[in-house]
Amino acid sequence: MDGMTAAYLDDAIAAGGTGNAEAVRALEERLGALVGAAYTLCVSSGTTALISALYAVGVRPGARVGVSALGPSMTGLAVTALGARPVFIDCSPGSFGLAAQSLGEATGEGPLAAVVPVPMWGYWDEDPQVLADLRQRGIPVVVDAAQAPLLRLEPQGLADTADVICLSLHGRKPVKAGEGGACLTRSEALADRILAVRNFGQLAAFHGTRVEPTGPFGSRFGSNFKINGVGAAWCLSQLDDPGILRARHARLRTAARRAFDTTGITWHEAPHSPDVVEHGGYGLVALCGTPEDAARMAHRLTADGVEVDTLRYTYAPMHTSACFSADGARTPAADALTALAVACRLEAFPLPSAVGG
Ligand SMILES: *Cc1c(COP(=O)(O)O)cnc(C)c1O
């Protein structure tokens, strides 16, 4: 542990390790700068970030929420935690982006209270026109960027198109607090509502670019979704120099590509949209020619000691999870993509020694 990290941890422990620790405010500032959002609120997990964001944009029991079919069950479970129902949106063929047609069908069957794109493994491939249409129709967009904390878009940043960006700071994600998450938004009104959900329904006041709790607990609906200050302090130390973090992930991506190539099986990388100037940072997804090739590639990588998610968890569309399968959803493009995909966390590829992180 370096001196800086130790100092952050000491401060957080001295403050009782609660979510009111100074480290949390500092972490919110750094995450805001990293993602490019005016307001950042740290919470206790990526899941509570989604719950807080969805509640803040108006999702209530009985509502329908469009969710990327390629997201993990955690995304859908955040919707069901609010008593709302996930409606699975199919992807564009061969892409992690939402298909306009599937979204059109979902809105045709009834109003959507929000739509949740998920840049899985860090791949952002949303059609700007689809996002513009949602905006025009007043449908809030909550991006589950749990796997894309390093994503950078130009000329329009993600915070310019999303109502809320949700991060996970889980220990297996690129930026780690152990357990933790964050909501980022450019909307003062949404930041205010997210703070209330996080802080037992407290009223908030704006100081500069920050929302600060002011009134008594229970002024509005809320719970305790605060981050542990000790985890926040550790996480803060990882963001001392975001350049180092970004460079490390670029090296990991190179190492991962090489490992995929050495299997000798033909593959191409999942696409991302032209406005992506930096990948989200979580994983590498190889799309093979046939499901048999994908299975062979996964076996080779596993034999080489690489943790491959297709084998460990069988990456599959969300509606195949037992808790959602009763819906009878059909997402043929998502089924086809996952059948050809070999997906792996970048951190499964060890870097040559002496590379910190
Ligand atoms: C990890 C993850 C979550 C859940 O985050 P937690 O911090 O574990 O609650 C949600 N969505 C996606 C896409 C994730 O990868």
Side-chain angles (χ1 to χ4, degrees):
M1 193 192 300
D2 61 33
M4 195 69 120
T5 304
Y8 289 136
L9 288 175
D10 284 349
D11 282 352
I13 291 166
T18 75
N20 305 320
E22 199 54 43
V24 175
R25 299 157 151 280
L27 177 59
E28 288 176 340
E29 241 165 63
R30 294 236 179 123
L31 287 173
L34 184 77
V35 175
Y39 302 100
T40 305
L41 293 139
C42 283
V43 291
S44 54
S45 68
T47 304
T48 54
L50 287 166
I51 294 171
S52 307
L54 290 169
Y55 186 83
V57 301
V59 172
R60 295 293 180 272
R64 301 164 72 244
V65 175
V67 173
S68 166
L70 287 167
S73 49
M74 296 95 171
T75 314
L77 288 168
V79 174
T80 56
L82 286 164
R85 189 163 76 82
V87 177
F88 303 110
I89 310 298
D90 205 359
C91 60
S92 295
S95 153
F96 283 100
L98 300 173
Q101 194 193 332
S102 179
L103 205 46
E105 285 164 14
T107 49
E109 285 161 12
L112 293 179
V115 169
V116 186
V118 187
M120 277 304 283
W121 309 96
Y123 292 85
W124 175 262
D125 196 21
E126 302 303 336
D127 179 347
Q129 191 56 51
V130 168
L131 297 177
D133 286 348
L134 289 171
R135 176 163 306 280
Q136 206 181 6
R137 299 164 72 170
I139 301 176
V141 173
V142 172
V143 175
D144 179 355
Q147 300 191 0
L150 303 180
L151 179 66
R152 273 198 301 200
L153 306 180
E154 274 176 15
Q156 271 218 317
L158 188 56
D160 299 319
T161 48
D163 290 276
V164 187
I165 301 165
C166 296
L167 301 185
S168 166
L169 304 175
H170 185 268
R172 280 173 63 89
K173 301 291 158 68
V175 182
K176 306 171 205 310
E179 301 284 357
C183 291
L184 298 105
T185 180
R186 68 192 182 310
S187 158
E188 198 171 292
L190 289 176
D192 171 72
R193 280 177 229 148
I194 291 163
L195 181 130
V197 175
R198 180 188 73 179
N199 286 42
F200 297 116
Q202 280 190 292
L203 294 177
F206 288 89
H207 297 291
T209 61
R210 282 197 60 81
V211 271
E212 302 283 0
T214 53
F217 294 142
S219 301
R220 295 178 276 178
F221 170 75
S223 185
N224 178 4
F225 286 166
K226 294 193 288 294
I227 192 171
N228 182 316
V230 175
W234 175 44
C235 189
L236 184 58
S237 72
Q238 295 156 39
L239 295 172
D240 274 340
D241 184 349
I244 292 175
L245 189 70
R246 292 187 184 282
R248 178 168 179 269
H249 279 79
R251 282 200 302 280
L252 283 168
R253 277 174 64 72
T254 305
R257 279 207 196 87
R258 201 176 305 126
F260 279 49
D261 280 341
T262 51
T263 64
I265 292 159
T266 308
W267 63 283
H268 71 271
E269 187 169 354
H272 43 218
S273 76
D275 53 349
V276 171
V277 291
E278 183 155 355
H279 185 267
Y282 182 71
L284 185 74
V285 176
L287 297 177
C288 298
T290 64
E292 293 71 30
D293 275 359
R296 280 198 301 136
M297 180 184 259
H299 278 288
R300 297 245 174 109
L301 287 169
T302 306
D304 289 343
V306 175
E307 146 203 304
V308 175
D309 279 291
T310 44
L311 290 188
R312 292 177 69 236
Y313 303 122
T314 317
Y315 179 42
M318 197 192 306
H319 65 80
T320 60
S321 296
C323 63
F324 299 124
S325 58
D327 269 24
R330 284 193 60 259
T331 57
D335 295 349
L337 183 144
T338 53
L340 301 178
V342 179
C344 197
R345 288 197 317 148
L346 294 181
E347 290 176 356
F349 298 90
L351 282 176
S353 61
V355 178

